[in-house]
Every structure is written in structure tokens, then in C-alpha cells.
Amino acid sequence: MDTLFSLKVFRHVVQNGSFTRTAEQLHISTAMASKHVSHLENTIKAKLLHRNSRYLHLTEAGEEYYRQCSYALDTLDTAAQKAAGGADKPQGMLRVTMPLWFANNLLSSWLVEYREHYSEVTLDLVLSNRHVDLIAEGFDLALRVSKTPSPSLIVKPLAVIQFVLVASPEYIRQHGKPATPEEAMQHKAILPSYTNNQHNVEITHVATGEKSMLSLKPVMLTDHTLMVRELVKAGGGIGYQPLWAVRKDLEDGSLVRLLPDYTLIYDQLNAAYVDRAFLSAKVRSFIDFINEKIHQSNY
């Protein structure tokens, strides 16, 4: 039998002082109401109610069981109400995993603005370049840069991420600014260690449409995208960066864009989550907010 329903039957019987009234309220037979109480007694091996044709009252064990039973049912009701509320109103803890390079001023300002709009949501942001298991590690949502997202996830495309080749002004002063792909391949490169797609890149000349390969030989590798940026800014070599991550650096002159006449690497930013059914308001609001900010900013 359904023990949870048996607990509800038991509480109603005690509150009503009657199996008959309880059966009417719960739309079951009086005999079935009695069976549910007997099921609980058999489960806990203790008598809960003394009853005859006219009266019923709790045993000593029944009084304590009734208190604990009522507390448990009230707790479950409260949890259900909160969970249902979370489907309608953004609230509670939202765990999001995203790439390391999302630790930039643009995304940070968007996240602060999201919190100003949805003050009942607490953001738990985990930045990592590895593809975490959303279910096993308890994440509500992943922001992932990939053209081939996992088929086991629900994926909403958000934006195309453009990568640019950059160097520091000091590096250019010392080593010169490459004007062609062939010249760029003669320079020292700092590249991510977690991917090979930035070592050999097919690039396209914007004006002519001519394609060529850009093959860079790294002098340093790192698993941290923003470490690539810092090493490049320190003059260690040239390197690729997501345009989002270095837009401010390009504007203030601390980095210089190389080969601006070529399109380099493009990738897809996706919002990924586990299940379309019962999508919570906090997840839905976050995806919609980030999507809106991307389109407003033309990134």
C-alpha cells in the first residue's frame, strides 16, 4: 500500500474522530480507510488506535506517532508548495557552470544586473573548462561553447562566439606586427592545452574569400583561457581569445588585434539543461535574460 497516503488517512481519522467521515473526504471506502491504518500498525509493529463501533482514541504510541506524522506531512506540503512556487517565480539557488573566460567585465555586469532583477535568486557560479555532468554534480544549467553539444541535454543556442588573434603593444614593438598568416606563423604562440582546434585553424580573407591555414607553434600551453590572455598581455607571444573576453583590452590598447582582415575561429554558445519538463522559473529567467542581453549588445 501507499504508506504516504496511509499517513494522510491516519491523520484525517484522528482529526475527524471517524473512519466514515475520513473515507468520504478522501473518496475511499470506510473499509479501505481502516486498511490504511492497519497497514501503518503492521509496518511499525505497534497499536495506534483503540476503536470500537462508537469510539476511537489514540494509544500512547499513537499519540507520538500522530505528532511525528503530522510534522512530516506538513513538511512535505511546505516543500511541495515551495517547489511549485519555483516553477512560477524565480527564487532559490541557481547553480550554473560556465567556461573560465566568462570571468570578464561584460558577463560580470550582466550577472549583477540579473540579480538586481531577480533578487530572490542566489547565483552559484562554477567556472571550468571541463564538461561537468549536470545531474551528478547538481547543476541547474550550463553555458557551453561548442558546435557539437551533448545529445543527452536540452540545448538553446544563444550566440556565435568569435575568437581573435591578439598581442601586446610591447610584444609588437619588439617583434613586429604580423600582416599575413605566413608572418603570424613565425611568431611565438601561447595556446590553450585543452583543445587542438586553435593550433591549426582555417581562416578566410574577408575581402577575397580566400581560405588558408594558420598553424601556430606554441611556446607555452595552459588550461586556463584567461591565463592565455595574461601571458599575451605580459608580452610572451601571440594568442587567441574570445572577443567577449578581450573587448575592453582592445578598446584601452592593452592588447592589439592581429590579422583583422581575416575571420578566424567561430564557436557556438549554448545554454544546456537536463529536462524540458517542469523547467523552473529561475532557469528559464536566466536563459531569457542572458539571451536578451546578447541580442541587445549585438555580440
Side-chain angles (χ1 to χ4, degrees):
M1 300 186 77
D2 183 345
T3 300
L4 179 59
F5 188 67
S6 296
L7 291 173
K8 294 178 180 179
V9 171
F10 173 62
R11 181 164 69 167
H12 274 74
V13 168
V14 175
Q15 291 172 342
N16 291 324
S18 168
F19 280 91
T20 302
R21 282 196 294 272
T22 295
E24 291 172 352
Q25 290 172 356
L26 299 180
H27 307 290
I28 58 177
S29 67
T30 302
M32 182 56 68
S34 180
K35 285 182 179 179
H36 274 288
V37 174
S38 296
H39 167 65
L40 293 178
E41 291 177 328
N42 291 331
T43 300
I44 66 173
K45 309 299 182 186
K47 191 74 172 174
L48 297 174
L49 290 169
H50 290 306
R51 52 196 186 270
N52 57 33
S53 59
R54 297 181 59 187
Y55 302 105
L56 62 86
H57 63 87
L58 289 165
T59 64
E60 182 178 354
E63 289 179 358
E64 178 61 23
Y65 193 76
Y66 172 72
R67 283 193 293 271
Q68 296 296 333
C69 162
S70 297
Y71 176 78
L73 291 172
D74 288 342
T75 300
L76 289 173
D77 287 342
T78 300
Q81 290 169 10
K82 287 184 177 179
D88 300 323
K89 181 181 179 181
Q91 59 184 319
M93 183 73 72
L94 177 60
R95 297 199 75 214
V96 185
T97 176
M98 58 185 67
L100 290 166
W101 63 266
F102 271 44
N104 62 67
N105 64 306
L106 176 67
L107 267 296
S108 297
S109 66
W110 289 357
L111 294 171
V112 170
E113 186 176 343
Y114 172 82
R115 271 284 301 127
E116 291 173 350
H117 280 80
Y118 301 102
S119 59
E120 294 187 36
V121 177
T122 300
L123 291 175
D124 182 2
L125 309 173
V126 176
L127 278 67
S128 173
N129 285 332
R130 69 184 180 88
H131 280 199
V132 302
D133 186 321
L134 299 189
I135 295 178
E137 300 186 43
F139 284 97
D140 300 294
L141 178 69
L143 297 180
R144 289 180 174 168
V145 178
S146 175
K147 294 177 182 175
T148 55
S150 171
S152 65
L153 298 175
I154 308 300
V155 174
K156 177 179 176 59
L158 295 178
V160 173
I161 302 297
Q162 180 183 1
F163 286 72
V164 293
L165 190 63
V166 293
S168 71
E170 181 60 30
Y171 179 87
I172 291 173
R173 278 193 291 271
Q174 292 184 19
H175 303 280
K177 183 178 181 181
T180 66
E182 291 75 20
E183 291 180 7
M185 287 189 285
Q186 302 306 311
H187 284 260
K188 296 180 289 184
I190 302 167
L191 298 175
S193 59
Y194 53 84
T195 177
N196 291 320
N197 71 349
Q198 293 184 12
H199 293 215
N200 300 285
V201 177
E202 184 180 72
I203 63 175
T204 305
H205 193 276
V206 175
T208 66
E210 182 181 354
K211 296 184 182 297
S212 58
M213 289 300 297
L214 181 60
S215 299
L216 300 181
K217 294 181 174 58
V219 296
M220 282 189 276
L221 296 166
T222 173
D223 65 349
H224 199 306
T225 310
L226 297 184
M227 187 61 178
V228 173
R229 184 187 70 182
E230 294 306 313
L231 290 169
V232 170
K233 289 176 72 173
I238 66 176
Y240 296 106
Q241 282 288 282
L243 183 55
W244 280 14
V246 294
R247 185 176 292 273
K248 188 173 184 298
D249 298 310
L250 295 174
E251 291 172 352
D252 65 24
S254 57
L255 284 175
V256 177
R257 182 172 176 177
L258 307 179
L259 305 182
D261 295 332
Y262 290 83
T263 57
L264 304 179
I265 304 169
Y266 284 88
D267 223 328
Q268 180 69 47
L269 173 64
N270 304 301
Y273 50 96
V274 175
D275 195 351
R276 195 189 308 275
F278 307 117
L279 185 64
S280 68
K282 61 185 178 183
V283 173
R284 187 168 56 247
S285 68
F286 188 85
I287 293 174
D288 290 346
F289 181 86
I290 295 298
N291 191 43
E292 181 181 358
K293 296 302 294 185
I294 289 171
H295 287 89
Q296 286 177 349
S297 304
N298 295 318
Y299 287 121

